[in-house]
Amino acid sequence: MGQIRTLRKRTCEYEAVEALVLVFASTNPSCDTLPLKKRRSSDDHFPNLFDALSDELLFLILDRLDSSPFDKKSFSVVCRSFYAAESRHRRLLRPLRSDLVPSVLSRYPSISHLDLSLCPRVSDGVLASIAAAAAGPSLLSINLSSSRSFSHSGLGALAAICVSLVEINLSNMIDLNDASAAAIGRARNLEKLWMARCKLVTDMGIGCIAVGCRKLRLLCLKWCLGLTDLGLGLMAVKCREVRNLDLSFTMVTKKCLPAILQLPYLEELSLVGCPGVDDEGLTSLKQGCKSLEVLNMSNCQHVSDVGLSSIVNDAVSLRQLILAYYSPVTHSLTSSLLKLSNLEKVKFDGCRITASGLLALGNSCISLKELSLSKCSGVTDEGLSSVLMKHKGLTKLDITCCRKITDISIASIANSCSSLTSLKMESCNLVSKHAFCMIGERCHLLEELDLTDNDLDNQGLKAISNCHRLYILKIGLCLNVNDEGVIQIGKSCPLLEELDLYRSVGITDTGIMAIACGCPLLQMINLAYCTEITDIALRSLSKCSKLNTLELRGCFQVSNYGLAGVALGCREIIKLDIKKCYHITDAGMVSLARLCYHLRQINLSYSSVTEVGLLALASISCLQSMTILHLSGLTPSGLAAALLASGGLTKVKLHMSFKSLIPKFLIQHLESRGCMLQWRDKPFQAEVDANEIWKQQSQDLVATGGF
């Protein structure tokens, strides 16, 4: 009987493969006649039909699994031929531990993109092994942002041997010096280089890069405070192929701006927060940059519309203009945009905008598709309506915290902007609950909608459920919303991926069950301080297998039972916040450790977890960040053992009281391993009482008609 069952099982497997072959042959005409490998398994009675599949077909299958690394892993363990094919097919590698890189590279010889940003410590030896590996000469890009412990020696090995290298990301390398920059300069084929926050690099280092890397197309020098006009000017003279240049928060002044703006192919320029850039320097420019497509001059306090016009007048190709936290947006400034017929995106976030400036904007930018006025003071119904009437092709609009607008503006949005795909209007408190019905009735193409902290009610949410393409919905702090409205979203928005219900105290298990049933693609849900949520809601969310972010802070009715359900059904969980979930104990951590192998970030503060639970979590190799404040059952020795066992941790938030109780040598060992300990001296908070107060306040607001 056992042999019969084995035969039936293998027969089913072979039939499945044959069906798969037929499907791919029918959808890929070039594969109509599939070459077969004439190999058989060691079992003469049952030939291994998997081996009959060609590499061409297997690679086609793997191409369709690119978006799911878990599926690709399952694919590789089917049989030896699948394992070998997946090894040869993989191009991108993102390990969590640098010490495993040499062995992993031998497993994947065709890697062309290596991302080590999750490895806090990368030694020169590891970089040398990468260069010496089979994939070394064919390596195209490497990401070392946020990594430490390597020097010019390791970078030199990469530059010398990895001759195909075109991209290097060294952002946040605060110890990177001129010697390391000189080593990078030997990578002659380099096209993209990120060096944000490399504050020790001076003109000498950037000069070596400019002389050696003549093919650079993208260069990010954000927060490189050691650079002056001398080094930046040399870069502009030598690297004539640069298309994308970020000099934000550097000491750039008018001395090198002419050379930068004369780069013949420059398309994107970012000068955010540059104190040396002013009107005097800009007005002295003899010509602008005709190839420029994206300009970001946010937070340039010494630049007004006078200086800006000197750059944009000749920028006939400009598509995006970002002026967040800029000087006042006046009639003169917006009128200067009239000549920019290709301008599609404008951001004035955080600016004081005049009424005449907003009215003039309506007559400018005939190609405008995206407009952001987030936190702009001076935005009124009259001004906004005039813009919307002239720009009916808008697809994205951000009016967050525009507190002077009323239902009149919402009516203009509904009547004029039926093509909107994204609308953000958090904290527009003068808009009444009736206005949101207009959005749902007219803007059916919406994919992203942020209504946080508004007077939205169930009727408005029902109307919004007509937006069947929604994949992001944020309705936190909407105190008049309850299960009735959320159920409609669950029934009508099957594409929903992100749902924010922060402090929506009217939501219960019934509403979440509707979301779980109707939104199978859900990836993120925020239920923080939804105090009526229980284990029933969590068990229902286990149907959402793609869920990767779950916020449960302050949901004090949930327990290990509900968490176990989530762990069982949502194996892709990456981020979990169970702060102030008092009934979650060590048993819940055991469930996570056994089933959620990809968990990277967890907040356990104020829960009932002890060192036993922390030791269970230590078995999750992907775990990198923990917040463990005010765990009453945690002892210094247990904490020390858990930290020592958690080899992948890069950041841990702890209470200051433990600092003197943990041996100094252990703290030093953890830091040398790449784990950053952040000590917090926060007093204990009795959140249950605070929740009751919040709930009572919200009920009072609802009873009196909202805000």
Side-chain angles (χ1 to χ4, degrees):
M1 292 297 292
Q3 292 179 344
I4 293 176
R5 279 194 293 267
T6 302
L7 177 60
R8 286 177 177 171
K9 181 179 179 182
R10 293 194 177 185
T11 301
C12 291
E13 291 174 347
Y14 299 155
E15 289 175 349
V17 173
E18 289 173 358
L20 189 61
V21 171
L22 291 174
V23 169
F24 272 85
S26 63
T27 57
N28 297 273
S30 61
C31 300
D32 284 342
T33 56
L34 300 172
L36 300 181
K37 300 177 182 177
K38 296 181 180 180
R39 293 175 52 194
R40 291 181 177 272
S41 66
S42 56
D43 188 341
D44 294 333
H45 298 289
F46 301 107
N48 186 354
L49 296 185
F50 291 125
D51 285 342
L53 302 179
S54 69
D55 281 348
E56 182 183 6
L57 178 59
L58 294 178
F59 282 9
L60 283 171
I61 297 171
L62 286 165
D63 286 340
R64 301 195 178 195
L65 297 179
D66 267 346
S67 60
S68 176
F70 312 118
D71 290 346
K72 293 178 76 170
K73 184 176 181 180
S74 299
F75 177 95
S76 68
V77 299
V78 170
C79 64
R80 290 182 179 180
S81 60
F82 279 28
Y83 181 88
E86 199 270 335
S87 295
R88 295 190 298 271
H89 180 270
R90 185 182 288 268
R91 298 291 183 268
L92 172 63
L93 188 64
R94 196 181 190 194
L96 296 172
R97 291 171 51 187
S98 62
D99 57 314
L100 298 178
V101 169
S103 59
V104 174
L105 286 178
S106 64
R107 158 86 166 91
Y108 297 106
S110 302
I111 290 297
S112 56
H113 303 279
L114 184 58
D115 186 348
L116 299 177
S117 59
L118 297 179
C119 302
R121 289 290 185 269
V122 178
S123 66
D124 288 335
V126 170
L127 294 184
S129 68
I130 293 171
S138 60
L139 190 66
L140 297 177
S141 71
I142 185 167
N143 188 344
L144 293 165
S145 61
S146 305
S147 300
R148 299 287 188 276
S149 298
F150 59 87
S151 67
H152 66 279
S153 176
L155 291 174
L158 280 178
I161 300 177
C162 301
V163 293
S164 300
L165 203 60
V166 294
E167 296 183 18
I168 300 180
N169 192 336
L170 297 168
S171 297
N172 306 308
M173 285 298 304
I174 57 176
D175 298 327
L176 195 79
N177 54 26
D178 288 339
S180 297
I184 297 167
R186 293 195 285 274
R188 304 298 183 186
N189 293 314
L190 204 61
E191 296 181 4
K192 297 182 180 181
L193 175 62
W194 291 267
M195 295 178 60
R197 294 181 180 83
C198 294
K199 299 180 181 181
L200 297 183
V201 176
T202 68
D203 293 337
M204 181 71 72
I206 199 64
C208 293
I209 292 174
V211 172
C213 305
R214 300 291 186 91
K215 297 180 181 180
L216 276 178
R217 291 169 174 261
L218 180 150
L219 181 59
C220 177
L221 300 173
K222 186 177 181 178
W223 282 110
C224 290
L225 299 178
L227 302 180
T228 68
D229 289 324
L230 179 63
L232 296 174
L234 179 61
M235 177 275 303
V237 171
K238 296 293 184 181
C239 303
R240 304 296 290 171
E241 299 291 326
V242 168
R243 266 80 167 165
N244 189 324
L245 182 60
D246 191 345
L247 301 178
S248 300
F249 303 102
T250 62
M251 297 297 107
V252 59
T253 71
K254 63 181 180 181
K255 292 181 180 180
C256 70
L257 275 180
I260 291 172
L261 292 175
Q262 288 173 17
L263 287 168
Y265 307 109
L266 187 64
E267 296 175 354
E268 298 187 29
L269 177 62
S270 183
L271 297 171
V272 178
C274 293
V277 178
D278 55 22
D279 283 344
E280 180 183 356
L282 294 176
T283 53
S284 65
L285 295 173
K286 295 182 179 180
Q287 64 179 31
C289 183
K290 294 184 179 181
S291 61
L292 198 63
E293 295 183 5
V294 180
L295 176 63
N296 189 345
M297 295 190 66
S298 300
N299 202 25
C300 286
Q301 302 298 327
H302 305 299
V303 179
S304 67
D305 57 287
V306 177
L308 180 67
S309 61
S310 300
I311 292 184
V312 302
N313 278 343
D314 292 332
V316 293
S317 302
L318 199 66
R319 294 184 297 102
Q320 298 183 24
L321 180 61
I322 305 171
L323 300 175
Y325 300 97
Y326 194 73
S327 60
V329 179
T330 62
H331 180 276
S332 175
L333 190 152
T334 52
S335 296
S336 67
L337 307 181
L338 185 62
K339 301 177 183 178
L340 305 177
S341 58
N342 295 314
L343 195 61
E344 297 178 351
K345 179 178 179 179
V346 175
K347 293 188 69 173
F348 289 135
D349 296 359
C351 295
R352 181 172 65 83
I353 187 166
T354 64
S356 59
L358 200 53
L359 290 171
L361 182 61
N363 298 318
S364 306
C365 315
I366 58 175
S367 301
L368 196 64
K369 300 294 182 183
E370 301 180 28
L371 176 62
S372 183
L373 301 173
S374 174
K375 302 177 183 178
C376 285
S377 60
V379 177
T380 62
D381 288 332
E382 180 185 4
L384 184 59
S385 297
S386 67
V387 172
L388 298 178
M389 288 179 64
K390 297 292 181 62
H391 299 291
K392 297 186 177 183
L394 276 180
T395 58
K396 295 185 179 181
L397 177 63
D398 189 346
I399 49 175
T400 297
C401 294
C402 292
R403 302 183 186 277
K404 294 182 179 180
I405 66 172
T406 67
D407 294 6
I408 297 174
S409 291
I410 305 306
S412 296
I413 292 173
N415 294 325
S416 302
C417 304
S418 58
S419 299
L420 275 183
T421 60
S422 174
L423 175 60
K424 299 178 181 179
M425 50 175 297
E426 175 182 349
S427 298
C428 295
N429 303 132
L430 293 182
V431 176
S432 74
K433 59 185 179 182
H434 306 291
F436 298 104
C437 293
M438 292 187 284
I439 295 175
E441 292 168 357
R442 300 291 184 88
C443 303
H444 292 166
L445 300 181
L446 278 174
E447 298 174 355
E448 178 180 11
L449 182 59
D450 186 352
L451 301 177
T452 304
D453 190 20
N454 276 294
D455 193 24
L456 178 70
D457 65 0
N458 290 326
Q459 287 301 117
L461 203 52
K462 287 180 182 179
I464 289 167
S465 68
N466 292 321
C467 305
H468 304 303
R469 299 185 182 185
L470 272 180
Y471 67 88
I472 297 178
L473 178 61
K474 299 182 179 181
I475 52 174
L477 292 173
C478 293
L479 306 180
N480 297 324
V481 168
N482 57 35
D483 290 338
E484 182 183 350
V486 172
I487 288 172
Q488 292 301 316
I489 296 295
K491 289 180 178 180
S492 306
C493 302
L495 302 180
L496 200 65
E497 296 180 5
E498 181 176 334
L499 178 61
D500 189 343
L501 296 171
Y502 175 76
R503 285 196 187 273
S504 296
V505 292
I507 305 300
T508 70
D509 296 335
T510 304
I512 303 306
M513 289 170 66
I515 293 295
C517 290
C519 307
L521 303 180
L522 195 67
Q523 297 181 23
M524 179 273 179
I525 185 167
N526 187 349
L527 299 173
Y529 300 105
C530 294
T531 53
E532 299 301 318
I533 296 299
T534 72
D535 289 336
I536 296 174
L538 296 194
R539 303 290 290 192
S540 69
L541 286 174
S542 63
K543 300 174 184 177
C544 303
S545 59
K546 296 183 179 295
L547 194 68
N548 59 55
T549 301
L550 179 58
E551 302 270 355
L552 295 172
R553 178 178 303 199
C555 296
F556 56 84
Q557 295 193 58
V558 302
S559 69
N560 297 326
Y561 178 68
L563 190 60
V566 171
L568 184 62
C570 309
R571 303 291 184 91
E572 297 184 16
I573 284 287
I574 294 175
K575 181 180 178 182
L576 178 64
D577 189 341
I578 49 176
K579 178 180 179 180
K580 295 171 183 171
C581 294
Y582 306 110
H583 299 301
I584 291 182
T585 67
D586 296 330
M589 300 304 100
V590 173
S591 298
L592 291 175
R594 291 181 59 188
L595 299 169
C596 299
Y597 311 120
H598 308 287
L599 186 66
R600 290 183 187 173
Q601 181 178 338
I602 189 168
N603 188 341
L604 299 170
S605 300
Y606 295 90
S607 67
S608 299
V609 176
T610 70
E611 57 259 33
V612 175
L614 295 184
L615 285 169
L617 291 176
S619 65
I620 303 178
S621 60
C622 291
L623 189 61
Q624 292 189 307
S625 175
M626 282 201 304
T627 302
I628 44 179
L629 299 172
H630 297 295
L631 298 184
S632 58
L634 188 60
T635 64
S637 58
L639 174 61
L643 293 176
L644 195 59
S646 303
L649 285 176
T650 59
K651 183 173 70 174
V652 182
K653 291 183 181 180
L654 299 159
H655 195 269
M656 184 66 74
S657 60
F658 281 105
K659 189 171 185 179
S660 60
L661 303 176
I662 299 177
K664 288 186 178 181
F665 73 86
L666 178 58
I667 294 177
Q668 294 172 352
H669 171 72
L670 292 171
E671 291 176 345
S672 66
R673 203 168 64 181
C675 181
M676 179 173 58
L677 302 179
Q678 298 181 350
W679 304 98
R680 297 288 186 268
D681 191 15
K682 298 180 68 174
F684 184 87
Q685 298 175 357
E687 185 62 27
V688 174
D689 294 335
N691 275 339
E692 292 300 320
I693 294 172
W694 173 264
K695 182 177 179 181
Q696 185 60 51
Q697 290 176 341
S698 65
Q699 290 174 345
D700 292 343
L701 284 170
V702 172
T704 56
F707 291 98

